[in-house]
Amino acid sequence: MKLLLTSAGLSNSSIAKALIELVGKPASATKIAFIPTAMNVDGGHKGWFIKDLINIDKQNFASVDIVDISSLSRTIWEPRLRDADVLFFSGGNTTHLMRWIIESGLNELLPEWMKTKVWAGISAGSMVTNPNLSFSSGDNKIYYAEVPGYKSEKALGFVDFYVRPHFNSPDFPNANKAYLTEVAKDIKGTIYALDDMSALKVVDGKVDIVSEGEYLVLNRAPA
């Protein structure tokens, strides 16, 4: 399984290069399916979302399709996602995204698709790959309010560690070393706190940190 887990998408050349390496062919031959579903329930200015799309478009991929699994029938979204080399999941509301991965039936297709496709996530799109959607009761849903219709902490469990985006961002006051170090005492599993210039490149469980910024690793087992 190949994953690119980011805080803010293709925010620098190192992260963009990592995605191309995961796909194994040039951008000009790579098809992207961008799933914006996570951002649908959050109000306010969407400059961050526009910026994420611009950063993807700058790479000159063969195509960038936008496919919302919450607003299209499966007969429409399934062939479009099937045709893509990369499933690129937007940031936004993590629980809303997880709800629709299940309700749409996408979760039924992912085990087979992830043998050949690359998963790329931005913030929420990265966090849904975690073992679950919260570290502990004390850290329950730091970033997002609970969305009606999805009460579970179930996530995809593609990885055995936790990704926390927006490390040291002023917009996320709990995404700092002091708070996350305290939270880490109550959980098992490595935590990767990534700022918006950092990402994880994951190939069959092997993790490489790709960063032009700052990151924090907690609870990592000794080598």
Side-chain angles (χ1 to χ4, degrees):
M1 185 178 292
K2 299 179 179 180
L3 307 98
L4 183 70
L5 306 178
T6 82
S7 178
L10 306 185
S11 55
N12 59 52
S13 59
S14 297
I15 297 174
K17 180 183 177 182
L19 179 58
I20 299 304
E21 290 171 348
L22 286 170
V23 176
K25 56 185 176 181
S28 60
T30 298
K31 295 180 180 180
I32 305 289
F34 188 82
I35 297 95
T37 306
M39 70 95 187
N40 287 346
V41 294
D42 287 340
H45 181 56
K46 291 296 191 298
W48 57 269
F49 178 77
I50 296 168
K51 183 178 180 181
D52 291 345
L53 283 174
I54 290 172
N55 285 338
I56 292 172
D57 189 55
K58 286 179 181 177
Q59 308 308 316
N60 296 314
F61 291 110
S63 67
V64 181
D65 192 9
I66 298 179
V67 188
D68 187 351
I69 59 174
S70 68
S71 64
L72 299 171
S73 71
R74 182 166 174 169
T75 57
I76 295 175
W77 64 251
E78 182 176 338
R80 288 164 63 180
L81 296 189
R82 187 182 297 277
D83 188 51
D85 300 297
V86 179
L87 303 181
F88 214 130
F89 289 81
S90 168
N93 191 300
T94 311
T95 56
H96 183 70
L97 175 58
M98 192 64 218
R99 169 191 173 184
W100 279 102
I101 288 173
I102 294 172
E103 289 196 16
S104 68
L106 176 57
N107 63 312
E108 301 166 1
L109 301 170
L110 288 174
E112 185 64 29
W113 282 4
M114 292 309 299
K115 295 176 181 178
T116 56
K117 299 183 186 299
V118 174
W119 176 292
I122 301 173
S123 193
S126 297
M127 293 179 75
V128 292
T129 68
N130 287 357
N132 54 61
L133 295 186
S134 68
F135 291 152
S136 67
S137 59
D139 188 41
N140 192 27
K141 294 183 175 64
I142 283 179
Y143 295 126
Y144 307 113
E146 189 169 358
V147 175
Y150 192 77
K151 308 295 185 181
S152 175
E153 295 298 334
K154 180 181 178 181
L156 291 170
F158 284 171
V159 297
D160 61 1
F161 53 81
Y162 294 88
V163 179
R164 293 312 302 246
H166 312 303
F167 181 53
N168 286 337
S169 169
D171 296 324
F172 298 88
N174 288 323
N176 59 69
K177 182 177 181 179
Y179 186 86
L180 293 176
T181 300
E182 189 64 27
V183 168
K185 296 176 182 178
D186 298 325
I187 69 165
K188 296 179 180 179
T190 302
I191 300 168
Y192 293 92
L194 307 173
D195 76 355
D196 287 353
M197 289 289 126
S198 302
L200 301 179
K201 178 184 175 184
V202 185
V203 179
D204 296 332
K206 181 180 181 296
V207 180
D208 289 315
I209 300 172
V210 181
S211 180
E212 295 184 15
E214 295 182 310
Y215 61 88
L216 174 69
V217 183
L218 296 166
N219 292 353
R220 179 158 56 185

